Amino acid sequence: MARSRRSFKLRLSQAGLDVLIDSHCHLIRATRSLIAWGTTLHVAVEHLDSLSTAEIIDQMNVQELVCLGGGEEHHVGASNRLWDVAMRITERVQQSVPGERQPNLGTIYIVALMQIPKAGNIELMSAFERALQSGARMPASRDGEDHEG
């Protein structure tokens, strides 16, 4: 059975792209696996979902966040479930601060990516497992056709 996938758009500044790259490399080191860019985003959102709503709101108010979004569009492929988790986060935040505007998904994605380097290995591995269970791409693996160099 094929997994449902879609492309997720990240609008990042150069500094925001650095956050994505740093988070991706950090996650590769933590998992010791070559993973897809969309898996990094999925794990980041899964990890963010495990934080308290108060922590998420605090992270959405950090000064650095303003300079990470930008005009450069980057597309990463991930499971449709990523959208469900991200929407659940926006709804939690909205319920905690009624009257405030619901955060957009781009903000959620950037805040989530910012959390990857701050997370402990146990938390990251737990988020990684949740992402894999909900359809994230499996890490690259070697097979009999690989040629050593």
Side-chain angles (χ1 to χ4, degrees):
M1 181 167 113
R3 293 185 176 147
S4 295
R5 306 195 74 68
R6 65 175 277 197
S7 180
F8 290 83
K9 183 179 0 180
L10 298 169
R11 289 189 176 144
L12 304 171
S13 65
Q14 287 293 312
L17 182 58
D18 287 341
V19 168
L20 173 61
I21 293 166
D22 291 344
S23 297
H24 187 67
C25 291
H26 186 86
L27 192 56
I28 287 171
R29 283 185 195 94
T31 62
R32 306 308 294 169
S33 301
L34 294 177
I35 58 174
W37 291 96
T39 299
T40 295
L41 181 60
H42 197 150
V43 171
V45 171
E46 288 283 354
H47 173 65
L48 186 66
D49 190 41
S50 72
L51 301 180
S52 73
T53 305
E55 288 176 285
I56 295 169
I57 292 169
D58 285 347
Q59 291 302 308
M60 290 176 62
N61 291 319
V62 298
Q63 203 66 31
E64 172 187 10
L65 186 60
V66 203
C67 68
L68 299 178
E72 293 183 37
E73 284 189 11
H74 304 275
H75 298 264
V76 297
S79 163
N80 281 331
R81 296 275 305 141
L82 168 59
W83 186 85
D84 297 334
V85 178
M87 285 304 297
R88 184 170 59 231
I89 294 168
T90 65
E91 290 164 2
R92 281 175 44 203
V93 169
Q94 179 66 42
Q95 289 172 357
S96 287
V97 284
E100 293 286 321
R101 207 171 130 201
Q102 187 172 10
N104 66 46
L105 291 176
T107 300
I108 295 298
Y109 298 152
I110 293 171
V111 169
L113 289 167
M114 291 171 57
Q115 304 316 302
I116 291 284
K118 300 175 186 177
N121 273 0
I122 293 171
E123 292 85 8
L124 281 180
M125 293 309 291
S126 179
F128 183 60
E129 287 302 318
R130 287 192 309 275
L132 291 177
Q133 289 171 4
S134 64
R137 285 200 177 144
M138 295 297 288
S141 63
R142 296 180 59 120
D143 61 26
E145 299 297 313
D146 287 343
H147 301 282
E148 290 187 34

